[in-house]
Amino acid sequence: MELTEPNPYTRNLIIISLLFIFYNWLDLSPPELTTFNILFNKFEIGNKDPLSVIPWIFYFWFLFRFIQESQNNSIDVYKARVTKLPIPKRLEYKLRSLADEHYKDIGKGELIEEKNITEESAADAKIEIHYLNARESLLPRLYYSATYQSNNNGRREGKFFIAKINFKDGIPLLLAATLKYAYKENCVATELVPYFLAYTAFLSGMEIVLFK
């Protein structure tokens, strides 16, 4: 079976990044030898100054080509698959109460103004919670709807609302979804890990340049 990688430059970027990281962590130094062999020909290095620049050239080239060849925008994939969360059973009653309170304080007035309905119709609206979404904010927000019986066509009409949830409930939900995403999705290994290693390698390389 032939194995193919979504991005052929993933391996190159990971290898060069690990070389930078281990070179710094292990406190390595260049060998004193100034000769090397290529195809049975012996060459002598007359100017060793470019040796500190050549790894950076490879690093930035592999990083540039990796970004070019990247098929998915990792941040967009994460937002699309993680930030839209189902309603947890253990929080269903609490979130339903939150939706009722939000509608009473804010949503009902918006519904009356936008749909031009009576106070009575708005008060009898049916509240339904749908999902949590953290795409536009750090913490997930509750999306719920309020529907009422229309006098024009006899069908139910309504409006979606967004209610903020507290930090205590929001962060555990987001962390749990992130861990589930990291465990199941292949793009974490092919997209996020190379970026993380490249970032760590850059910091390691800068430490070598500035402090060694």
Side-chain angles (χ1 to χ4, degrees):
M1 182 178 64
E2 183 180 358
L3 297 178
T4 59
E5 291 182 306
N7 189 334
Y9 287 90
T10 299
R11 184 184 304 148
N12 295 339
L13 181 60
I14 289 177
I15 291 174
I16 193 69
S17 297
L18 290 175
L19 289 176
F20 269 76
I21 294 170
F22 290 146
Y23 190 95
N24 183 33
W25 287 358
L26 299 177
D27 198 19
L28 301 178
S29 57
E32 297 297 329
L33 297 177
T34 58
T35 61
F36 62 95
N37 296 323
I38 298 181
L39 298 178
F40 306 106
N41 293 313
K42 188 174 183 179
F43 295 88
E44 183 172 353
I45 301 175
N47 180 15
K48 294 191 293 183
D49 293 337
L51 290 178
S52 60
V53 179
I54 292 175
W56 285 103
I57 294 175
F58 280 102
Y59 170 81
F60 283 113
W61 172 250
F62 290 147
L63 178 59
F64 172 71
R65 293 295 291 132
F66 173 79
I67 294 174
Q68 277 192 326
E69 295 291 331
S70 183
Q71 294 181 351
N72 297 319
N73 186 322
S74 301
I75 301 300
D76 288 343
V77 173
Y78 172 82
K79 286 184 176 181
R81 300 190 182 185
V82 172
T83 57
K84 187 174 181 180
L85 310 174
I87 301 293
K89 289 290 184 181
R90 62 183 179 82
L91 291 178
E92 187 172 347
Y93 177 80
K94 188 174 184 178
L95 293 178
R96 189 175 299 278
S97 300
L98 173 64
D100 291 337
E101 184 178 348
H102 183 272
Y103 178 75
K104 179 180 177 181
D105 296 339
I106 300 174
K108 186 169 70 171
E110 293 182 359
L111 188 66
I112 293 174
E113 182 178 354
E114 181 176 322
K115 300 297 184 179
N116 194 25
I117 61 176
T118 64
E119 178 85 19
E120 183 180 358
S121 296
D124 292 336
K126 178 183 178 182
I127 308 300
E128 184 177 358
I129 57 176
H130 295 278
Y131 57 86
L132 298 167
N133 195 311
R135 192 175 183 86
E136 304 298 333
S137 61
L138 174 62
L139 292 176
R141 296 184 178 185
L142 174 64
Y143 280 64
Y144 73 94
S145 63
T147 59
Y148 62 94
Q149 193 74 28
S150 174
N151 294 327
N152 297 329
N153 51 30
R155 296 185 301 180
R156 298 196 69 84
E157 297 182 2
K159 174 180 170 61
F160 269 93
F161 297 94
I162 304 174
K164 295 180 180 179
I165 68 175
N166 59 47
F167 183 87
K168 179 181 177 181
D169 294 328
I171 287 298
L173 291 173
L174 198 57
L175 289 177
T178 301
L179 291 175
K180 183 178 179 181
Y181 169 81
Y183 176 75
K184 289 189 174 182
E185 296 297 330
N186 184 50
C187 61
V188 173
T190 59
E191 300 282 342
L192 298 182
V193 171
Y195 277 121
F196 172 76
L197 291 177
Y199 176 72
T200 307
F202 179 79
L203 296 181
S204 299
M206 291 305 298
E207 184 177 349
I208 295 172
V209 171
L210 296 177
F211 303 108
K212 296 186 179 181

